[in-house]
Amino acid sequence: MSVEQPLWRALAGYRVLTMLYAVGLFASAYEMFVRPWIAVGYYAVLVVWTLATLPRVTSAAHCTRRFLAADLIVALTGILLTPAAASHARIVAGGPTLPSIWTAGSVLAFALKGGWRWAALASTPVAIANVVQRGTPSRETVHAVLLVWIASLAIGYVVEVARASERTLARALEIEAATRERERLARDIHDSVLQVLAMVKRRGTALGGEAAELGRLAGEQEVALRTLVTGALVPVPRVSQDDAGTGAAVRAVEEPDDDGPLDLRSLLAPYAGARVSLAEPGAPVPLPRAAARELAAAVGAALDNVGRHAGQEARAWILVEDEPDEIVVTVRDDGPGIPEGRLAQAEGEGRLGVAQSIRGRLRDLGGSAELISVPGQGTEVELKVPKGAARARGRAQKR
């Protein structure tokens, strides 16, 4: 059940009770009205309006803007008619207006419909009308106006929080349902397809020759399928891994044409394979589209270097960390490492894979690329992109 639904039912009851209360006040002080026929005419309209519009205050969908405007006009009309119907002595003594506390129900309808901002919008003309009908702002008038104002703002804020909580709960339930379904599919796939792929990989490796190649492909598909059923990050294949090892070159990446951020995980997930492991947070890692693509391309360049220089049997690991102020992606391999001075020599020979494809991309993003390599212990490339710099670059490209 909706959290705000009981509030709408309470509002409907409040409008009926306060309508009866206003009529009762008039009947008990009839002699203090110099033109009672004005009050009688207004109360006739108020009773009919309140009862006829009860269906309008059953939910936010039924409570339209036109109804809210008309309801507020009914309340303001009653306030401004009070000096014409009641005696001056009653007004000076702080007597209630014709609609009395029924007016608060009109303001509360604004609060339930649109939150505290709408409540503030409706409270302002009510406050002005109360001051106008009294002729001067008295202590009682200010007290009543502030009471309505604060109550409506508080209820409007509570409604906004309740709606946000409902959306969060609905999203959590969706995630839970999707997780359960993914776990069920994972169990079914594990008991059938994954076991067959694992068997093909083992048999192919044992037989050798063309069967070994078939086994290698089966092993890669097994890893990709495991990634899909456990993380739901691998869509249709978007990368083709070259035959030289762990290097991966992005052939075609089809992304939506909108300008929203991209989840970095979805760009890095296709790199996962038989010899490339990917570890990422459980939540999305959003980055501006251009920054996400550049960072993913830098990771691809690092993996290309692994396949080209560390050998076909080298393994690589990709670690994605979503820090409060920056995104950190680490690419590590178990290859032989880079001899000291080799990077400077390669740059001097015109081979700028690390200088341009990796460090150059990160520099353009306002980040940094740090390469650590120890001969015989592999290589680690740490890519850091500050979130603020990535967002600023995304805005600049949009302009």
Side-chain angles (χ1 to χ4, degrees), residues 212-379:
E213 177 65 14
L214 180 62
R216 182 184 70 82
L217 294 175
E220 292 182 353
Q221 293 302 312
E222 178 192 4
V223 171
L225 187 55
R226 288 186 186 276
T227 304
L228 174 63
V229 299
T230 56
L233 286 178
V234 181
V236 295
R238 295 183 296 177
V239 301
S240 59
Q241 292 195 352
D242 55 40
D243 296 331
T246 57
V250 178
R251 309 303 182 201
V253 179
E254 295 182 0
E255 299 292 348
D257 293 332
D258 55 59
D259 295 328
L262 281 177
D263 184 358
L264 180 63
R265 303 178 307 165
S266 64
L267 295 182
L268 298 183
Y271 288 122
R275 292 182 296 278
V276 179
S277 299
L278 172 65
E280 77 284 328
V285 184
L287 273 177
R289 307 183 77 80
R293 291 195 185 100
E294 287 294 287
L295 183 55
V299 172
L303 292 175
D304 283 340
N305 288 336
V306 174
R308 189 173 295 111
H309 302 296
Q312 297 184 9
E313 300 304 319
R315 289 187 56 83
W317 293 266
I318 305 173
L319 174 62
V320 182
E321 301 173 272
D322 189 358
E323 302 292 344
D325 300 323
E326 62 183 2
I327 303 295
V328 182
V329 180
T330 305
V331 181
R332 181 172 60 86
D333 66 70
D334 61 356
I338 302 175
E340 186 175 356
R342 178 58 183 158
L343 289 178
Q345 179 184 352
E347 187 171 347
E349 294 173 355
R351 294 195 293 270
L352 304 176
V354 173
Q356 295 297 332
S357 297
I358 299 178
R359 286 176 174 161
R361 281 192 167 99
L362 270 295
R363 182 174 59 251
D364 292 343
L365 293 176
S368 62
E370 183 178 356
L371 191 145
I372 303 173
S373 182
V374 177
Q377 298 183 19
T379 302

Side-chain angles (χ1 to χ4, degrees), residues 200-217:
V200 172
K201 177 184 177 182
R202 291 195 302 270
R203 295 288 180 86
T205 303
L207 292 175
E210 294 183 358
E213 177 65 14
L214 180 62
R216 182 184 70 82
L217 294 175

